[in-house]
Amino acid sequence: AYVGRQCTKYLKPLLDSGTEGTKGHVQVLVPFVTETYGHAEDREEDIYPLCTLRHFPTTIQHTLQWARDQFEGVFRETAETVNKFLQVSSFSETQEAEALEVFEMVQTSLQEKPHSWGDCVAWARRLWERLFSHDIQQLQYNFPPDYKTISGLPFWSGPKRCPEKLDFDFSNITHRTFLLAASHLFAQMHRLNVSENNAATSQILLDLHLLPFQPRNGVHIPVTDKEMQTSRGCRDELRLTELRQDLARQRRELEEQDALFSSCMEPIHFEKDDDSHLDFIVTAANLRAENYGIPPADKLQAKRIVGRIVPAIATTTAAVAGLVCLELYKLVWGHKRLSSYRSTFLRLSEPLLHRCQPHSPQPTYKYHQKTWSCWERIEVPGVDDKGEEITLKGLCDHLQREHSLELQVLVYGKAIIYGGFWAEEKREKQLSNRLTELVCATAETVSKDCRLLVFQMVCKNEEDDTDLPPVHVQLHPMKGKNE
């Protein structure tokens, strides 16, 4: 996906290909001739019901997917959400359905910020207790082993397995590996340099006192995906207001201490070849499997399932490589007609070979009566006639003069560079700054060799269906069309 976005950004052709066992594909993407990467529908992957993953797993595949979801939620989504809170001043005003859950995540994360290896170990130990003991005991409290449904049938029957809580044991290799992997990942997410010390870790655990489990009354555990969707729509408005006020206060305090950007976290993206990532997922999945009496998986099996590794077949690889070369010849010859190209999908086990003409680029952006395709953008020279970099005011003047667009909001990445709703003094100050200065103020680094800045904008008098193309500011004159 990253390469596809970069090819769209820099107007480069892309030959996307891949194999999965006996299946293979070749997709041709040519600027202004075909659609961009990502518009074609990907194959549907196996999707497990959320309730099965959260409360009623029956196979090791379920617990591995649950562990992968835990990894994404704890070490990637949390960091991305906190960073958004720190970078976007209007974050706490969001009205989305999951606002309460998101605000609680941010508040908890700010409170749990570690300062030492001991803090990371203590956090990992509490995480272990919650996932493999307290959550299981709460489930048993809601649905005891002898619980019966409204129709009088045993609740824990059929595919549903009644779970058992686990007791932590540092001498257990699975328990210890989970604790250390979670501690290291937590430290990495908070940009904390720590060194592991087994003796210190043991002492930290001995000194740590965890509160015993206390069942919570009124906790609703949905047993179907439909119930889960319904429960998401319920919001505690009083709690939501309290969280908004508290987060706004914390943000003001960090801003006064000039600590907004230093508090940013590092989102961790799962890599199947990273041992610490795999250690967390394998041990979490096997501990979850132990809760439910499911046979565990070894590291190799887990890596294959979680990493979606399918053995390669030489015949499929050879066929796809040949089909890619056919399309490459056409690109080298400079073909500009859509009918010259072919996208291919094959399945040698059936056998099936389907070749078709790629889709043409459809209108993606719209402003009043004007439309742009997915390859188009609004290009602005970033250097004026004197050879100096333009200011934000210069950008606004260019958009008004050349495109009749009156800027209301300008965004770089996730940060707002300019807002028409700001106070006049703040707007004037921003307008006088150079674009690279404004970008650097968002914690982004602009190198001396950087040639391109990409912005998103909102203009005045937009209609409901308006979607403007990105603004590309060329910081240096281009030497050639394809350079």
Side-chain angles (χ1 to χ4, degrees), residues 173-185:
I173 185 64
T174 305
H175 296 200
R176 184 168 67 251
T177 303
F178 174 89
L179 183 88
L180 295 177
S183 301
H184 279 292
L185 290 168

Side-chain angles (χ1 to χ4, degrees), residues 103-375:
F103 292 166
E104 287 179 337
M105 176 199 298
V106 173
Q107 186 186 55
T108 302
S109 184
L110 293 174
Q111 293 171 347
E112 291 178 336
K113 183 176 181 179
H115 301 283
S116 66
W117 171 249
D119 292 341
C120 297
V121 172
W123 173 87
R125 176 66 183 87
R126 288 192 295 270
L127 178 67
W128 191 102
E129 195 71 12
R130 175 171 64 83
L131 294 179
F132 309 113
S133 179
H134 288 189
D135 285 356
I136 299 299
Q137 291 181 75
Q138 183 65 48
L139 183 61
Q140 290 177 328
Y141 177 79
N142 281 43
F143 305 109
D146 57 352
Y147 185 80
K148 296 185 183 299
T149 63
I150 297 176
S151 57
L153 297 174
F155 180 82
W156 297 106
S157 62
K160 289 188 178 71
R161 298 169 179 248
C162 186
E164 295 292 336
K165 74 179 183 71
L166 302 182
D167 296 314
F168 183 78
D169 180 5
F170 190 64
S171 62
N172 184 304
I173 185 64
T174 305
H175 296 200
R176 184 168 67 251
T177 303
F178 174 89
L179 183 88
L180 295 177
S183 301
H184 279 292
L185 290 168
F186 190 63
Q188 179 186 342
M189 183 174 68
H190 284 275
R191 306 177 187 273
L192 186 66
N193 293 320
V194 294
S195 56
E196 180 184 331
N197 185 316
N198 283 334
T201 301
S202 300
Q203 188 60 46
I204 291 166
L205 294 174
L206 288 173
D207 296 338
L208 183 65
H209 298 285
L210 298 178
L211 295 175
F213 171 73
Q214 292 292 334
R216 293 171 293 161
N217 294 317
V219 174
H220 174 67
I221 297 180
V223 297
T224 65
D225 281 3
K226 186 176 180 180
E227 277 188 44
M228 187 171 290
Q229 293 297 330
T230 303
S231 63
R232 282 182 177 177
C234 302
R235 302 203 310 184
D236 185 341
E237 293 297 336
L238 180 60
R239 173 63 176 157
L240 194 60
T241 302
E242 291 176 352
L243 281 171
R244 279 202 174 98
Q245 294 172 348
D246 187 61
L247 290 176
R249 177 188 57 78
Q250 291 188 63
R251 195 180 191 284
R252 283 196 303 272
E253 292 176 357
L254 290 171
E255 197 168 9
E256 291 170 359
Q257 299 166 10
D258 199 22
L260 281 178
F261 296 124
S262 62
S263 299
C264 285
M265 300 163 66
E266 177 186 341
I268 302 176
H269 297 268
F270 174 70
E271 293 288 345
K272 64 179 182 295
D273 297 318
D274 190 307
D275 284 341
S276 63
H277 296 192
L278 204 58
D279 282 344
F280 176 88
I281 287 180
V282 172
T283 53
N286 285 340
L287 288 167
R288 179 79 164 175
E290 187 177 349
N291 280 134
Y292 285 87
I294 299 170
D298 58 42
K299 198 168 184 177
L300 187 61
Q301 181 188 8
K303 183 176 182 179
R304 180 178 59 80
I305 295 173
V306 177
R308 297 180 175 87
I309 299 173
V310 178
I313 297 177
T315 311
T316 313
T317 304
V320 168
L323 291 165
V324 168
C325 288
L326 290 177
E327 303 308 314
L328 178 60
Y329 293 145
K330 301 169 189 176
L331 286 175
V332 173
W333 292 333
H335 282 253
K336 296 297 182 183
R337 294 196 310 272
L338 182 65
S339 58
S340 299
Y341 296 97
R342 290 291 181 272
S343 291
T344 305
F345 302 89
L346 59 90
R347 188 171 297 183
L348 299 182
S349 59
E350 293 196 10
L352 170 69
L353 177 65
H354 177 65
R355 307 195 74 208
C356 59
Q357 180 176 293
H359 294 295
S360 60
Q362 299 298 313
T364 303
Y365 307 108
K366 180 179 183 294
Y367 182 74
H368 294 298
Q369 302 303 314
K370 183 174 177 58
T371 61
W372 295 266
S373 80
C374 48
W375 289 101

